[in-house]
Every structure is written in C-alpha cells, then in structure tokens.
Amino acid sequence: MEELSNDATPIVRPYARTRGRTRSDYDLPIEALVTTADGAVGDDARMNPEHRPIADLCRQVQSVAEVAVRLALPLGVARVLLGDMARIGLVIVHATAGDATGQPPVALLEKVLSGLRQL
Amino acid sequence: MTGPVWPRPGPTPPDPAMPPVPDPSRASRSSAKIVVAGGFGVGKTTFVGAVSEITPLRTEALMTEASTDVDDLGSTPDKETTTVAMDFGRVSLGDELILYLFGTPGQHRFWFMWDDLMRGAIGVVVLVDTRRLGDCFAAVDFVEDRGLNYIVAVNCFDGIARHGVQDVREALSIDPDVPVVLTDARQRESVKQTLIELVEHVLRQRRQPVGSPG
Ligand SMILES: Nc1nc2c(ncn2[C@@H]2O[C@H](COP(=O)(O)OP(=O)(O)OP(=O)(O)O)[C@@H](O)[C@H]2O)c(=O)[nH]1
Ligand SMILES: [Mg+2]
C-alpha cells in the first residue's frame, strides 16, 4: 500500500467526475486556452454540475492546466471535462502552437523569440 | 491510428469539425509551451519560477500505472491510479500570446506521460547539475529518442560551473548541433537568455531542411 502523501488529494475516486473516462473525444493540449462561450453560464440545460464551476472560471481565459490547479482537479480530469465542454460548445478553445502538424509554425516561433527578447 | 478515440473499442473517428473553434473576437489569442526536464532537484521549479509571472503552480497529473493504452478506467476498476506532480509557469508575450513552461516530473516510471506533455511543444531545456551529471542521462535519452528539439543548460549552482561546457558535452556525447549553455536558474535574465537560446536553436533546425549537410 503506497502512502497517500498528497495533501491536496481528496480521498474520492477522481474519475468518478468523468464517469471513469480518462479521455475525451477531443484531447486538449494542457496549454490550450479556453474561454466560456457566450451564453453558456446560464445554460443549465446543457451543463452538468461538473461543468458549472469550470464555466464560471473560464469567463476569463484560462489554460487547461490552470483550470486543473484552480479547481483542484487532476490534470486528466480537467482535460476530459473541458474536452466534453468544448464538444458541446460550452467553452471555446483557442489555437495552440502545435495545432496542425504537432510542430509550432516558424512564424509562431519567431513571435515567441521576439516576445522573449522584449521581456 | 489517427488520434484519440473514445470509447475504445469502437469506430468513433475524431471529427474534423471538432474544436478548437476559433472565436472571431478572440482568434488572435494563442499559447505555446516549453518543457523543462532534468533529474531530481536540479532546479526545474526554480528555473520556471524565475521567469514566470505567476508562482509556479503545481498540478496533479493522475494516471494509471499500467500504460497509456488504458482509456477507460471503468473497464478495469481495480487498476491502480497514481498522481505525479508537475509544475508550470506562465509568461505573457504581448497581449496575444502566452508561453507556458512545464517542469516535468523527474521519476523515470512516469515518463510515458511525457509524450503527451511534449505534443506541440516548442522544445525542451534539459537542466543539468554537473555534480550529478548522470541524473540527466535519462532525460537526454528521452528527447533524443523522440527526436525532440532541445538544448542542455548547465545550472550553475552558486554561480560556479564546476565543469566546462565542453566537459558536459563530452560526458553526454550529444550532437555537436545541440547547444550547451550555462544558466543560473535563480536569475530571470539568465533563464530568459536560456529560453531564447532554445527558440533560436529550434528555428535554426526548422530552417535547415532535414538531411541537408552541415
Ligand atoms: N545555490 C543554488 N541553488 C539552487 C539553484 N537552483 C535551484 N537551487 C536550489 O536547489 C533546490 C532544488 O531546486 P528546485 O527548483 O526545487 O529543483 P527541481 O528540479 O524542481 O526539483 P524536483 O522537482 O524535486 O525534481 C532548491 O532548494 C533550490 O532553491 C541555483 O542555481 N543555485
Ligand atoms: Mg520541482
């Protein structure tokens, strides 16, 4: 039996929130930015209780990783929930660097480079 | 295999019409990531924190012990799950672009999750402590095996590089193209410079067609 040394981890089955799934139909990168879709916050018909705090939080743009931290969800759980929400249009997913080919386009690398130089 | 499919087994091809849905009003927003790898206690969190506009946030990545193929815990209810901590920082580059830095979990047995972490990454900074050079071998093996773009950054604890860049290069026997730089994980300017070195390196690689000489 391994010691449960993790302070923030509640003793519940985390993936109960996703009905056991560890993947969503749509796998979001952990750095993907998400924003709650207009009109989603009051949309209780489409939203289940797991979605509501996420919809509230993402009224300001957040990354998947930040959603996980802010709502004390394991990263994988946040990814599944957000993937589901993106699928049904509750959140909007912004472009990430690796979108098409998995490799960031040169133009974006140049943008990152000049951004870093100006820091 | 064209992409993640759930439930498995089952013919649920990824729908090309799926998100990301560009939102016209916010389409200019985008994010990118750089991964910081290296052995235990080499300064990964310090490195991320030196340049991040937020205190590095720690997230729990929960995974099954067995393999990445297990998509549905429901089918194997007794499967052990475990958490690993991974921390990340954020650097806003202007109004439109956010760069995330992810410090990888050091434990070898969790490295299967790296593929997921690396997907779409600009590249990897492998941090090295010259007093414990061997601790980074596994990270270098990993990035080389996956063909990832990386640089090696020697973290100069107490400002002292106990071994020269050339010694490190020889000890790791890495490709001459791969930059080896000195850094100080506590210094913002130094970390910034290291990130710049990485992106410049990646740009050089990208502009030089694969297989071309020199
Ligand atoms: N003197 C000195 N100390 C450093 C430097 N970088 C990191 N440290 C210290 O080394 C210790 C480990 O640094 P961390 O940044 O936590 O290392 P890490 O790689 O994130 O460690 P793990 O996540 O546990 O693998 C901390 O006490 C840091 O304060 C450095 O450049 N100089
Ligand atoms: Mg750390």
Side-chain angles (χ1 to χ4, degrees), chain B residues 18 26 33 64 75-76 97 125 134 166:
Chain B
M18 287 266 176
R26 304 160 172 133
K33 73 181 161 192
T64 61
S75 63
T76 50
L97 181 60
V125 174
Q166 198 51 38

Side-chain angles (χ1 to χ4, degrees), chain B residues 123-144:
Chain B
V124 182
V125 174
V126 176
L127 263 188
V128 171
D129 177 350
T130 53
R131 295 166 300 182
R132 295 175 292 133
L133 203 54
D135 288 8
C136 79
F137 289 174
V140 175
D141 288 345
F142 180 89
V143 293
E144 293 218 319

Side-chain angles (χ1 to χ4, degrees), chain A residues 46-64:
Chain A
R46 278 191 302 164
M47 216 176 308
N48 73 37
E50 262 55 61
H51 296 156
R52 199 160 295 124
I54 299 177
D56 284 340
L57 179 67
C58 296
R59 279 186 281 186
Q60 283 205 314
V61 67
Q62 308 281 332
S63 64
V64 174

Side-chain angles (χ1 to χ4, degrees), chain A residues 2 6 9 14-15 19-33 35-36 38 61-63 65-66 68-70 73-77 79 86-87 92-99 102-106 108-113 115-117 119, chain B residues 4 6 8 18-23 26 29-33 51 54 57-62 65 68 70-74 82-83 86 88 90-93 96-100 102 109 116-117 119-122 149 188 192 195-196 199-200 202-203 206-207:
Chain A
E2 252 184 52
N6 236 308
T9 309
Y15 280 101
R19 297 185 179 79
R21 285 174 302 130
T22 62
R23 293 268 179 98
S24 172
D25 288 348
Y26 181 68
D27 253 356
L28 297 174
I30 53 184
E31 76 278 16
L33 297 173
T35 314
T36 304
D38 293 335
V61 67
Q62 308 281 332
S63 64
E66 281 160 304
V69 169
R70 301 229 150 91
L73 295 168
L75 193 52
V77 173
R79 287 176 79 190
R87 177 166 196 194
I92 286 151
V93 181
H94 302 269
T96 55
D99 274 349
Q103 288 229 42
V106 165
L108 186 116
L109 294 172
E110 281 165 349
K111 236 167 118 179
V112 170
L113 186 57
L116 283 169
R117 284 182 176 142
L119 268 187
Chain B
W6 186 90
R8 190 182 289 173
M18 287 266 176
V21 182
D23 172 5
R26 304 160 172 133
R29 281 222 186 241
S30 57
S31 56
K33 73 181 161 192
V51 73
I54 53 173
L57 293 168
R58 174 151 289 225
T59 176
E60 304 298 331
L62 185 80
E65 289 274 17
T68 49
V70 180
D71 284 356
D72 186 351
L73 299 181
T82 188
T83 58
M86 177 172 72
F88 67 94
R90 189 181 70 203
V91 187
S92 293
L93 304 175
E96 297 174 357
L97 181 60
I98 301 180
L99 176 65
Y100 287 94
F102 286 90
R109 68 193 181 110
D116 189 49
L117 181 63
R119 192 158 43 102
I122 290 174
N149 288 314
R188 178 183 159 86
K192 207 180 98 179
L195 296 175
I196 288 171
V199 182
E200 284 175 341
V202 176
L203 272 169
R206 292 290 291 280
R207 285 174 178 148

Side-chain angles (χ1 to χ4, degrees), chain B residues 39-47 58 155-158 184-186:
Chain B
F40 272 125
V42 71
K44 300 182 292 290
T45 306
T46 307
F47 184 93
R58 174 151 289 225
N155 190 13
C156 305
F157 280 83
D158 309 313
D184 184 333
R186 295 165 306 173

